Amino acid sequence: MAKNELTNGMERNVLIGLLVLGVVGSVAGLMSSDRFWFSFLQNSIFVLTIALGAVLFVAFKSVSNAGWATVFRRVPEAMMAYVPIGGLLLLLVYFGRNTLYPWTNPAMETHGAGLELGFKHLWLSTPFFFARMVAFLAIWCGLIYGIRKASFQQDTDGSVEHTRLRKIYSSIFIVVFGITFSLASFDWIMSLEPMFYSTIFGFYMIAGTLTSSAAAITILVVWLKQRGYLPAVGDKHMHYLGQLVMGFATFWAYMWISQYLLIYYANLPEETIYYYRRTGTTGWFTVFIVNLFLNWVIPFMMLLPRQVKMNAKWMVAACTIALVGHWLDLYSMIFPAFFGSPMVGYVDIALLVGSIALFLLVFFRSLGAKGLVPRNDPYLEESVEHEHLEIVHSLKAGTATD
Amino acid sequence: MRATEPSEKTVRYTAAFFDNEHDLMAIAAEARLRGFEIQDVFSPYPIHGMDRAVGLERSRLGWIAFAAGALGLISAILLQVWTSAYDWPLNVGGKPFNSFPLFVPVMFELTVLFSGLISIGVLFMMNRLWIFSKKKIFEGVTDDHFVLVLKQRDASFDAEKAARLFKKYRAIKVMEGDKFV
């Protein structure tokens, strides 16, 4: 049952059309392109991390008793709804494991000459790998279900108990996610080059996740606001979101340089090969530099002035750059190990467009199914600015709909 | 918080004391609407939105912090390039003398350090809370009192109107004085 029709028929048809395009492109790519599985992995993780970052956003907010984001909290909550679907999609990697992961090749076990995996074989075995993948996704989905359910139940009965419950789920999520997501990024991305290892890799991924999901939340909130929804979202919220995007982008840069520096200092062959592949050729070196600019330099410089953070157009521009940056970041983690030069083919475009369309379809369906504002949340008044209090009061009294 | 011109040093003032931030915020906004000139407000802790209620213009401290950060960044680059590549080149781990990645941590640290220290210093100078300051502090404003100080610059200051306003917002004490600073 849809409470709000957030998209009109045409927009929905466009999204469905793009999804179909993505599916057609994938099928064609599966038959003819050697890039398909890499692109599939990249784009699945790209959209999945945006959805997972939304859970972190809500969890941080809940654990720190932050009130400011309550008025648009349903946006990240609707983004979370993609995690089960994106997780199921990611499980399809099972069928591409032989293309993607060199360690699935039994020859690698016996080969000497620098291809010794050693004890990593215990960890990187096909059944264990996919058992972990299922377990991680199942744990995340379970906690997401708890967080969302408590939020929606509060709409009907108004009990403060749900806020407490969400806090408990959120605390568990943050701890569990920190560990499982690190392991997941080791598994899903780092093991593409099984000889390479970097212990900060998981944190580096979390930094990218946080930036891109804060950027996505900003873009979706601006879109909804311009459609006339979420009337109580004001300058304050845009300012804080801008600070978050800027802060997380800087955190990403910090992680980026930390990983780079240690490998640069130590100069161990099995580690430097990772950066050698990414800086050794002109093509990949360009991607390497552009990646740094898109993820940090440009968003950071753009978002420094306060006025920019309160300007919807500039914010959307900066956030789009950060999102493109996250996509390119994943691209430069996955592709250089297997391809001599960067290239974007129809498969990449189809998969990107298809995954985003699927994400948006799930997002709008989930967002429209419940109230756009958590009207009984005890933090709601605190989250809006003085001039918007009336809107909140009429929402609470039931004289206005979202 | 506002820089005051020297001529204001002998201005007569009226100070009203309140016991909570909401009254102070409300009276500051209303006093401004009614044409009173606000000299300053005092509170034991920073109050969100107070700058807007008093009608403060945007602080220039952000630019100072930015300039200080840029200065720190440039100093860090110059310091490291000069020491490690020109003045006393040392071979560390076979890296080139001018290895930019190695300079990044110090660049970051000095940017933060300069930006933080200089802006806090300038902040204390701008709001005249630095150690040689002879600023008058009202009794209790560092504890539980909230004070609004109105200027009595010219004849247009209406003492009765002010008194009515103070009463409306439950002022607990009103005092007058000269030489605010």
Side-chain angles (χ1 to χ4, degrees), chain A residues 314-366:
Chain A
W314 278 90
M315 276 288 279
V316 169
C319 291
T320 311
I321 291 170
L323 280 174
V324 174
H326 183 52
W327 188 85
L328 195 70
D329 195 23
L330 288 168
Y331 184 78
S332 72
M333 287 182 214
I334 293 172
F335 280 79
F338 304 91
F339 299 91
S341 61
M343 191 195 82
V344 173
Y346 72 94
V347 190
D348 304 79
I349 308 279
L351 276 166
L352 173 65
V353 164
S355 337
I356 292 178
L358 179 62
F359 172 76
L360 287 178
L361 282 169
V362 174
F363 169 78
F364 284 122
R365 193 170 174 279
S366 169

Side-chain angles (χ1 to χ4, degrees), chain B residues 74-128:
Chain B
I74 293 164
S75 325
I77 295 173
L78 290 180
L79 171 77
Q80 294 181 92
V81 171
W82 182 66
T83 51
S84 56
Y86 292 98
D87 187 50
W88 202 270
L90 278 180
N91 186 339
V92 180
K95 302 282 187 293
F97 296 131
N98 234 340
S99 34
F100 195 70
L102 298 185
F103 298 165
V104 170
V106 178
M107 279 157 60
F108 171 74
E109 300 298 347
L110 276 200
T111 307
V112 174
L113 182 75
F114 272 52
S115 182
L117 286 185
I118 293 182
S119 38
I120 199 128
V122 173
L123 168 77
F124 281 136
M125 282 170 76
M126 277 164 87
N127 63 14
R128 289 164 295 138

Side-chain angles (χ1 to χ4, degrees), chain A residues 254 257 260-261 264-265 304 306 385, chain B residues 58 66 95 99 101-102 104-105 108:
Chain A
Y254 194 90
I257 193 72
Y260 183 85
L261 260 188
Y264 178 89
Y265 265 127
L304 259 183
R306 188 163 92 151
E385 278 162 293
Chain B
R58 200 149 139 49
F66 182 77
K95 302 282 187 293
S99 34
L102 298 185
V104 170
F108 171 74

Side-chain angles (χ1 to χ4, degrees), chain A residues 9 42 53 55 69 107 118 127 164 171 208 214 225 250 255 261 268 277-278 287 296 298 311 319 350 372 386:
Chain A
Q42 181 208 354
V55 194
R164 212 179 60 81
S171 325
K225 171 94 178 151
T250 306
M255 290 292 126
L261 260 188
L268 299 173
R277 284 185 182 128
R278 280 151 189 83
V287 171
W296 180 63
I298 300 177
N311 181 322
C319 291
L372 268 179
H386 196 66

Side-chain angles (χ1 to χ4, degrees), chain A residues 209-224:
Chain A
T209 300
L210 288 169
T211 318
S212 56
S213 69
I217 291 169
T218 311
I219 293 176
L220 290 169
V221 166
V222 169
W223 190 88
L224 286 166

Side-chain angles (χ1 to χ4, degrees), chain B:
Chain B
M1 270 191 212
R2 274 191 295 187
T4 334
E5 307 94 79
S7 66
E8 285 180 351
K9 285 198 169 177
T10 52
V11 156
R12 197 163 170 74
Y13 67 86
T14 306
F17 290 61
F18 303 89
D19 62 3
N20 67 75
E21 60 174 78
H22 305 292
D23 283 341
L24 182 68
M25 186 104 107
I27 194 173
E30 190 171 338
R32 215 157 56 85
L33 271 181
R34 293 190 184 277
F36 289 107
E37 251 191 289
I38 297 174
Q39 169 79 41
D40 213 339
V41 287
F42 295 83
S43 59
Y45 49 84
I47 303 170
H48 263 292
M50 200 66 220
D51 47 346
R52 253 204 282 178
V54 184
L56 278 184
E57 54 196 58
R58 200 149 139 49
S59 163
R60 291 179 297 271
L61 197 62
W63 290 104
I64 289 162
F66 182 77
L71 183 70
L73 183 70
I74 293 164
S75 325
I77 295 173
L78 290 180
L79 171 77
Q80 294 181 92
V81 171
W82 182 66
T83 51
S84 56
Y86 292 98
D87 187 50
W88 202 270
L90 278 180
N91 186 339
V92 180
K95 302 282 187 293
F97 296 131
N98 234 340
S99 34
F100 195 70
L102 298 185
F103 298 165
V104 170
V106 178
M107 279 157 60
F108 171 74
E109 300 298 347
L110 276 200
T111 307
V112 174
L113 182 75
F114 272 52
S115 182
L117 286 185
I118 293 182
S119 38
I120 199 128
V122 173
L123 168 77
F124 281 136
M125 282 170 76
M126 277 164 87
N127 63 14
R128 289 164 295 138
L129 280 177
W130 54 319
I131 46 175
F132 306 112
S133 166
K134 295 280 192 297
K135 194 176 176 95
K136 172 150 189 157
I137 296 292
F138 295 99
E139 205 180 325
V141 295
T142 55
D143 184 8
D144 58 351
H145 282 49
F146 300 77
V147 182
L148 171 80
V149 184
L150 295 179
K151 280 183 207 169
Q152 304 187 10
R153 194 203 286 280
D154 48 31
S156 71
F157 183 80
D158 185 342
E160 262 179 48
K161 203 162 89 176
R164 273 204 303 279
L165 202 57
F166 294 153
K167 199 171 172 206
K168 178 175 167 193
Y169 287 102
R170 299 169 288 277
I172 48 181
K173 187 167 88 179
V174 178
M175 58 182 274
E176 290 195 30
D178 285 316
K179 289 203 181 175
F180 175 69
V181 183

